Amino acid sequence: MKKIIRTIIWCLVGLFVIYTFYFLWKQSQPEPEVYELVLPQKRDIQKTTVATGKLSARREVSVKPQITGVITKVLVKPGDRVTAGQEVAHIRVIPDMSQLNSAQTAIESARIELNEQQREWDRTKRLYEKGVISTEEYQQYETRLKAAREKLTAAEAAYEVVTKGASRRSGTINTTIVTSPMSGIVLNVPVKEGSSVSATSMFSDGTTICTVADMSDVLFKGHIDETEVARLRVGMETTLVLGAMQEVKVPATLEYISPEGVEQNGVTKFEVWAAASIPDGVDIRSGYSVNARVVTEEHKGVLSIDEASVVFDADSAFVYRLTSSPEDLSSQEWERIPVKVGISNGIYVEILQGVNAEDHLRGIKK
């Protein structure tokens, strides 16, 4: 009986050892590689390039005063809509001492000259009435008197402009009232009441009171890499994707490509402009960050596959075609075949030669 029990135990030990070796051998065997199957399909393939930049108004002006002074009233704020000629600020004149002295000196000189011409004319008139001088000579003195009076009037008007910002001779012109030269939206107002402002002159750009832009005519201004610029042409249709509103797609037309590149961070880039057609109901703000997507080439209804299925080796392209049954996933067999590819959009690539729509091709590994 004991002999039978020992035999059974040794048999069980033997079976356990055999099973252990089998299990270890099984674990050491590589699992079969299974790949997804890809079928070529007809698609529309677009080759695109992207330029980055910002939106800005085509017409944008900085409103500046014609005189130096202090802001007494600001009549607009950023975001306000203004019309051409609308008042945006009032200024109190602070006369420049050199200009004031020059204006006072001009008045005194003109008054002295007028008094002198008046005496000459009075004397000439008495002689003319006695018939001593001719009519022609008398008219010459009369003309000089009129010129002297006009000179004094002009000097007094210049003094009023220096001290008050306007003169009675200028009529409706008042340089203490700053108006907008165009209709549009106020983008910014960098001054406030009490701020000192300077007039525009040949020595100074003057102080900006506000910036007005016509946001009904918007331009995209951006830059594109030198490797892409050769594929662009003026008149190409462009799609603008706004960083602040990703769901909004704004159509635009490329209208300018810079003939000269500029270096940015070691890369040469070219400036491009595109005229945007803002859809109704979309509120565009100046300075929005934008990606401009330009379709440089498009093929419609062409045979294509996932670009991940194509293997590139030097200047050649290859795919792996399934030679075994599509239903048998445990032992997939492939053959490597060369293909000729066309354009790619980064996801799908056009297949010109090498495969057809019925071929099962190797995709990504599961």
Side-chain angles (χ1 to χ4, degrees), residues 73 87 94 114 124 191 220 231 259 282 300 354:
K73 187 179 293 185
E87 296 180 7
I94 298 180
L114 176 61
T124 304
V191 297
F220 163 79
R231 297 193 285 141
V282 177
K300 293 184 179 243

Side-chain angles (χ1 to χ4, degrees), residues 178-193:
V178 183
T179 60
S180 173
M182 60 177 282
S183 298
I185 296 177
V186 178
L187 298 184
N188 59 71
V189 183
V191 297
K192 58 184 179 180
E193 294 182 6

Side-chain angles (χ1 to χ4, degrees), residues 244-262:
M245 297 182 287
Q246 294 286 334
E247 71 282 0
V248 177
K249 303 296 187 290
V250 178
T253 303
L254 201 63
E255 67 173 32
Y256 170 77
I257 304 171
S258 174
E260 181 182 13
V262 293

Side-chain angles (χ1 to χ4, degrees), residues 285-339:
R285 300 179 185 274
S286 181
Y288 269 159
S289 296
V290 175
N291 287 332
R293 179 173 171 270
V294 185
V295 177
T296 57
E297 191 174 358
E298 182 177 18
H299 294 175
K300 293 184 179 243
V302 295
L303 197 65
S304 63
I305 61 172
D306 294 2
E307 190 165 339
S309 300
V310 181
V311 178
F312 293 94
D313 185 2
D315 295 333
S316 302
F318 301 88
V319 296
Y320 287 88
R321 182 166 55 192
L322 184 69
T323 57
S324 59
S325 173
E327 288 77 19
D328 185 7
L329 300 181
S330 61
S331 59
Q332 293 177 325
E333 296 180 2
W334 310 95
E335 65 172 339
R336 176 169 164 167
I337 58 174
V339 293

